[in-house]
Amino acid sequence: MRKDDLYIRVSTDEQADKGYSTRDQEDRLRKYCEIKGIPIRDIYVEDHSAKSFKRPEWQKYLSNLRKSKNSKVGSLLLFTKRDRFSRNAGDAYQMINQLRILDVAPEAIEQPLDLTIPENKIMLAFYLAAPEVENDRRVLNIFHGMRRARKEGRYMATAPLGYVNKMTEDKKKYIALHEIEAPILKWAFEQIATSNFNTEQIWKQAKKKANGIG
């Protein structure tokens, strides 16, 4: 009899930002199997990003598949949406081909597609590409946001050596000179510029100054 495996994935960021829940995914998948009369074999719960398939539970799943590949019984791999499966379209296509070789049909219960209909491959391409596009857009938004913040005199990342993170009364982040580190860093650059000492000597003296020795 054909059986199915459930694959549930949520990263820490996704759970915080969008309210994804492993319990909610499992409930929906179990309900689907109950309605369809599909017996459940194994459940894999993942807490890793889907940017690649180098995930512990996914590798465990593939290992179990390969061990049972001679069983002559095909199986289903069910997940809620395509972005639970992968957020990289190229990798997703390659993995789908690997699963087919192992006689596994990967299916998203909330984005069902009958791939015997050629036109549905266009929708598959959209479902697989959309999560990757979302990731790329998020990265660009963060980049542009940080660049805009720097232009406005705000510094969002950890302050570099010689500076310290601070915040104005209206909650705007900026960096200021560190009272101890900044003068030492300035001295070190001046010594490098004048070539009075080599870098190792400068480093040792800077450490002494930081410790209140020099």
Side-chain angles (χ1 to χ4, degrees), residues 95-110:
M95 185 55 66
I96 288 172
N97 288 334
Q98 288 186 46
L99 293 175
R100 284 174 179 165
I101 292 172
L102 295 168
D103 199 17
V104 175
E107 295 183 6
I109 63 171
E110 295 179 14

Side-chain angles (χ1 to χ4, degrees), residues 117-184:
I117 301 173
E119 289 76 12
N120 279 349
K121 292 181 179 179
I122 297 174
M123 283 304 301
L124 176 62
F126 171 77
Y127 284 143
L128 294 179
E132 184 174 357
V133 171
E134 183 184 7
N135 275 354
D136 291 347
R137 173 49 57 191
R138 185 182 299 114
V139 170
L140 278 177
N141 288 344
I142 292 172
F143 171 77
H144 290 306
M146 293 183 70
R147 186 168 68 174
R148 181 177 180 84
R150 287 196 293 269
K151 286 182 178 180
E152 295 174 352
R154 294 179 289 123
Y155 198 88
M156 308 304 291
T158 302
L161 184 65
Y163 294 85
V164 62
N165 291 96
K166 288 195 174 184
M167 186 179 293
T168 63
E169 291 183 358
D170 56 353
K171 306 300 182 182
K172 290 184 178 179
K173 296 180 180 179
Y174 71 101
I175 57 172
L177 292 174
H178 192 288
E179 292 183 4
I180 298 174
E181 293 178 357
I184 298 173

